[in-house]
Amino acid sequence: MNMQEDVKSRNFIHKWVSNGEVAKLRAKAATAHLSFDQQCRFCEKESIDQSLLNMLTYPWIEDRVKRELLYLHGGYYNFLNCSFENWTLDFKACNVKEGRSYAAVKEQ
């Protein structure tokens, strides 16, 4: 959430973290009224959703998910209260179109 948006770097970590830009933008839009810590928690969970959708960019994974031979799960462990949230990507409810992806997940 603190990363500068226009920073150009060839650093591997920077490239990996920059994949969370969509999650960061969604977090800022949805949680502007919350504290920075709450915004960060929201962003962390959005990042998990983005990671689930990113898995669908691999054709062999998308094919197996479509045929219900593979299910994608995300998880979030809260160290402060020792709780764990998990969810499964609901492929049939996903809308993945030309660079605009929205995850639909079933919370469990």
Side-chain angles (χ1 to χ4, degrees):
M1 290 290 290
N2 282 332
M3 186 177 235
Q4 297 298 318
E5 295 177 18
D6 291 325
V7 174
K8 300 289 183 194
S9 174
R10 296 181 189 270
N11 182 314
F12 169 76
I13 298 298
H14 174 41
K15 290 178 184 175
W16 178 73
V17 172
S18 68
N19 287 330
E21 186 67 23
V22 172
K24 176 182 170 181
L25 295 174
R26 287 187 182 167
K28 284 186 173 188
T31 63
H33 62 288
L34 300 177
S35 73
F36 183 73
D37 285 343
Q38 292 170 313
Q39 290 177 18
C40 288
R41 299 301 83 74
F42 187 91
C43 184
E44 290 166 355
K45 293 176 183 183
E46 282 294 316
S47 182
I48 294 167
D49 284 348
Q50 291 303 308
S51 294
L52 289 171
L53 285 173
N54 186 53
M55 295 297 294
L56 296 176
T57 65
Y58 297 94
W60 60 93
I61 292 176
E62 181 184 23
D63 176 60
R64 285 169 180 81
V65 170
K66 277 183 184 177
R67 294 188 294 144
E68 297 183 347
L69 299 173
L70 176 68
Y71 295 92
L72 301 179
H73 304 276
Y76 179 82
Y77 183 71
N78 184 324
F79 289 97
L80 297 177
N81 65 10
C82 299
S83 64
F84 184 77
E85 298 174 48
N86 65 352
W87 52 93
T88 302
L89 181 74
D90 183 352
F91 183 78
K92 292 178 182 175
C94 284
N95 180 13
V96 181
K97 293 182 181 179
E98 302 173 13
R100 301 187 84 196
S101 303
Y102 302 93
V105 294
K106 297 177 192 174
E107 296 207 16
Q108 306 211 353

